[in-house]
Amino acid sequence: MLMSYAMYSGQHNHGMDALSIRYLGHQPIAIKTLLGSGKGQITFDRVAIDDAVRYAAEDADVTLRLWQAFKPNLHRVQVTTVYETLERPLVPVLAEMEMAGIRVDGQVLSRMSNAFAQKMAGLEAEIQEIAGEPFNVGSPKQLGEILFDRMGVEGGEKGKTGAYATGADVLEDIATLEDVNPKAARLAATVLDWRQISKLKSTYTDALQQAINPETGRVHTSYSIAGANTGRLASTDPNLQNIPVRTEEGRRIREAFVAGPGLRLVSLDYSQIELRILAHVADIPELKQAFREGIDIHALTASEMFGVPLSEMTPEVRRRAKAINFGVIYGISGFGLARNLRIPRAEAQGFIDRYFERFPGIKTYMDATVAFAREKGFVQTLFGRKIHTPEINAKGPTAGFARRAAINAPIQGAAADIIRRAMIRMPEATRDLPAKMLLQVHDELLFEVAEGETDRLITAAKDTMEGAAHPAVALRVHLAVEAGQGRNWAEAH
DNA sequence: TAGTTCACG
DNA sequence: ACGTACGTGAACTAC
């Protein structure tokens, strides 16, 4: 059995300790007393066996006693079915995935780290040259002072700490000022390049090398089954749910995630699952029809909103509609859409108004969801998962956050429920296949399978994913799953 | 340890 | 008038 980093460092049961104190009136043995802390800290495999036994036995005992304490509550708040169908059976599935791990080629990562280091050194020299003085490029505070105080860029906004904001959106704006402030524009553009490489190196190519288990040659993440409020999983130590994919340079990191000898990686991901869920729960005829007919959903939205025939759709109009579709899922606001599309707020609000005019059922659904949350203090997914909304009746800016979260939760949560159902059925659905499920990335499952069995795996896993809502929920929209395969994750995607 | 930034869906 | 896209985790700086 593999020992996770969380176990080594004793970070896995702080939540349980608090529950034990609160509900059982019992302070469990603190892991710190066994491992020590600071320089002399040891790992769990070095703990004296008697101490380890006492600790582990108490851990199991507290778990049982907490279960006994909580079981009546499950029934009282009507989440027994959710617990028994979406939570408990997922635990062994996640355990298998964590133990399986995924093979990562450390040499590939090492070569990339070296290349990144060279590139960063060059960019750093360029940055110091433009700035006219040496400074820590990784310090947003120092960068802000140089751009806004020394180089005279206007419109700097300071955050809570009094430092100028220098996030990517700010730097991108400055980078367009070639005519007004060419030096600052070049500096901002170069820092953006440096930041991207720096991120890839520190968070991925460097950190992942450290995460390779020397015994397995594989990286073993930990999944939190209760990590996210909406029912999504969370992945930690390392997080394998945020491996780069959006940029070409970032995507190459996925080339280091490889299949074992004689094996292939297969990736299956739900296509537009959240918009499909929205089409179902809000019961929008046009959206349901578009999914039924396999029409490009963003193009359809654009066509409906802007009156452009599908045959005359342009990429720019489609891009706007896509941002609106995403915005709707997130509990759209004029401000947020304006910022995302970089258009005036009034214009963004106009888009939203037109969207709701064209799809009145969406507005009705959103209002009903918020009203439900206000009255009950929670919202629910199609599968009965409850997401609590304690701030929904708050005043001030908090109200806006709570409102948007309440709108998003049933949609994001239902998608999470569906992929959980697929994962729970997957061992049975693939029992005759030499395949292992390795990773879940919210709407994607990644498998490792014997060469020559990829087609059979894709058929079985795809069917399982596409049928995962049934029979609990009769979705009025079909679910579509796209599949890919390759020697590494970049190829498989 | 808080704040900032940025990687993903 | 205010301040906002939803959900996460990790690295880094600066206090």
Side-chain angles (χ1 to χ4, degrees):
Chain A
M1 175 81 76
L2 289 152
M3 197 74 72
S4 74
Y5 166 81
M7 188 74 192
Y8 275 124
S9 61
Q11 294 179 3
H12 69 303
N13 68 350
H14 288 182
M16 196 180 81
D17 280 16
L19 293 177
S20 176
I21 293 163
R22 181 165 164 191
Y23 293 95
L24 307 177
H26 171 76
Q27 167 72 63
I29 301 165
I31 187 74
K32 264 191 179 173
T33 62
L34 304 185
L35 304 183
S37 61
K39 201 152 179 282
Q41 187 169 3
I42 58 170
T43 51
F44 195 77
D45 57 329
R46 305 273 179 182
V47 172
I49 192 69
D50 283 2
D51 290 338
V53 164
R54 241 190 307 281
Y55 174 82
E58 184 197 51
D59 193 80
D61 182 47
V62 166
T63 304
L64 177 63
R65 285 158 62 192
L66 282 171
W67 158 245
Q68 287 163 343
F70 289 146
K71 193 176 179 182
N73 294 1
L74 286 181
H75 200 69
R76 183 172 57 75
V77 300
Q78 300 185 323
V79 289
T80 307
T81 302
V82 169
Y83 174 70
E84 288 180 353
T85 64
L86 297 173
E87 303 289 333
R88 197 173 59 196
L90 188 60
V91 171
V93 176
L94 295 179
E96 286 293 330
M97 293 166 71
E98 292 181 1
M99 285 188 284
I102 183 164
R103 188 175 174 210
V104 172
D105 188 332
Q107 292 198 355
V108 168
L109 293 176
S110 174
R111 280 195 289 272
M112 293 182 78
S113 280
N114 291 337
F116 288 152
Q118 284 212 355
K119 178 120 193 235
M120 282 173 69
L123 290 169
E124 212 162 324
E126 209 175 310
I127 287 163
Q128 314 284 8
E129 168 76 29
I130 303 166
E133 61 178 300
F135 73 103
N136 183 351
V137 183
S139 165
K141 186 167 177 280
Q142 293 177 34
L143 175 66
E145 283 161 10
I146 286 176
L147 283 169
F148 295 106
D149 293 338
R150 283 214 36 246
M151 302 180 84
V153 176
E154 293 178 0
E157 289 179 29
K158 296 188 173 181
K160 311 177 183 187
T161 54
Y164 291 109
T166 68
D169 50 346
V170 175
L171 295 188
E172 279 161 19
D173 284 343
I174 296 173
T176 66
L177 302 176
E178 289 131 341
D179 297 336
V180 192
N181 196 331
K183 267 189 135 180
R186 244 188 85 210
L187 183 64
T190 314
V191 170
L192 279 170
D193 288 344
W194 182 91
R195 286 233 183 114
Q196 201 211 339
I197 305 299
S198 168
K199 181 74 167 188
L200 296 179
K201 183 171 186 292
S202 66
T203 309
Y204 300 103
T205 57
D206 287 351
L208 281 172
Q209 288 182 67
Q210 300 303 309
I212 298 171
N213 185 308
E215 289 173 32
T216 62
R218 299 170 77 97
V219 171
H220 304 261
T221 187
S222 295
Y223 287 105
S224 307
I225 198 168
N229 235 333
T230 53
R232 275 192 175 182
L233 302 178
S235 161
T236 61
D237 309 316
N239 182 357
L240 295 185
Q241 290 182 323
N242 71 343
I243 303 303
V245 70
R246 290 175 187 170
T247 68
E248 179 56 39
E249 266 179 316
R251 189 159 44 237
R252 295 206 52 205
I253 289 170
R254 294 189 174 215
E255 293 172 9
F257 289 75
V258 297
L263 306 173
R264 301 273 288 175
L265 293 182
V266 167
S267 162
L268 298 108
D269 66 288
Y270 285 107
S271 168
Q272 311 281 14
I273 188 169
E274 293 190 351
L275 281 175
R276 288 171 197 265
I277 289 165
L278 177 68
H280 171 85
V281 297
D283 195 21
I284 311 299
E286 297 89 340
L287 295 185
K288 290 192 291 186
Q289 186 187 350
F291 282 125
R292 198 159 49 237
E293 296 176 1
I295 294 172
D296 177 337
I297 199 68
H298 302 310
L300 182 277
T301 301
S303 170
E304 293 281 348
M305 283 186 58
F306 303 114
V308 181
L310 284 176
S311 55
E312 295 171 25
M313 190 53 54
T314 67
E316 178 54 27
V317 173
R318 182 183 181 279
R319 191 183 72 87
R320 293 184 165 204
K322 184 176 177 181
I324 293 163
N325 277 334
F326 270 106
V328 165
I329 288 169
Y330 296 155
I332 201 159
S333 75
F335 185 95
L337 183 65
R339 202 161 67 93
N340 190 281
L341 285 177
R342 293 163 179 261
I343 58 176
R345 190 175 160 175
E347 196 180 342
Q349 190 57 53
F351 288 170
I352 294 167
D353 293 345
R354 193 141 19 141
Y355 182 91
F356 285 144
E357 266 171 43
R358 198 59 206 79
F359 303 108
I362 306 253
K363 181 87 170 85
T364 307
Y365 168 75
M366 288 184 167
D367 291 345
T369 302
V370 173
F372 185 97
R374 290 222 164 99
E375 190 192 327
K376 310 261 189 181
F378 63 86
V379 291
Q380 249 173 327
T381 69
L382 286 170
F383 300 87
R385 177 186 301 282
K386 294 182 176 186
I387 296 104
H388 292 273
T389 58
E391 310 271 37
I392 194 74
N393 290 313
K395 296 286 174 211
T398 316
F401 282 111
R403 187 180 158 280
R404 291 190 297 273
I407 290 168
N408 173 263
I411 301 168
Q412 188 181 120
D417 292 343
I418 287 170
I419 197 167
R420 281 179 179 228
R421 291 170 62 89
M423 293 168 74
I424 289 163
R425 292 179 190 178
M426 207 56 81
E428 172 65 21
T430 61
R431 72 191 148 99
D432 296 331
L433 291 166
K436 281 180 178 166
M437 188 159 52
L438 305 185
L439 301 179
Q440 188 252 43
V441 191
H442 310 307
D443 65 357
E444 173 188 6
L445 294 175
L446 189 74
F447 293 82
E448 188 176 45
V449 58
E451 282 175 357
E453 298 287 0
T454 55
D455 289 352
R456 286 181 65 213
L457 173 70
I458 288 170
T459 302
K462 191 168 183 275
D463 284 353
T464 304
M465 291 173 74
E466 289 179 345
H470 302 281
V473 171
L475 277 190
R476 305 295 297 168
V477 187
H478 75 275
L479 298 176
V481 168
E482 294 172 350
Q485 55 165 303
R487 283 172 27 259
N488 62 57
W489 198 2
E491 276 182 18
H493 204 269

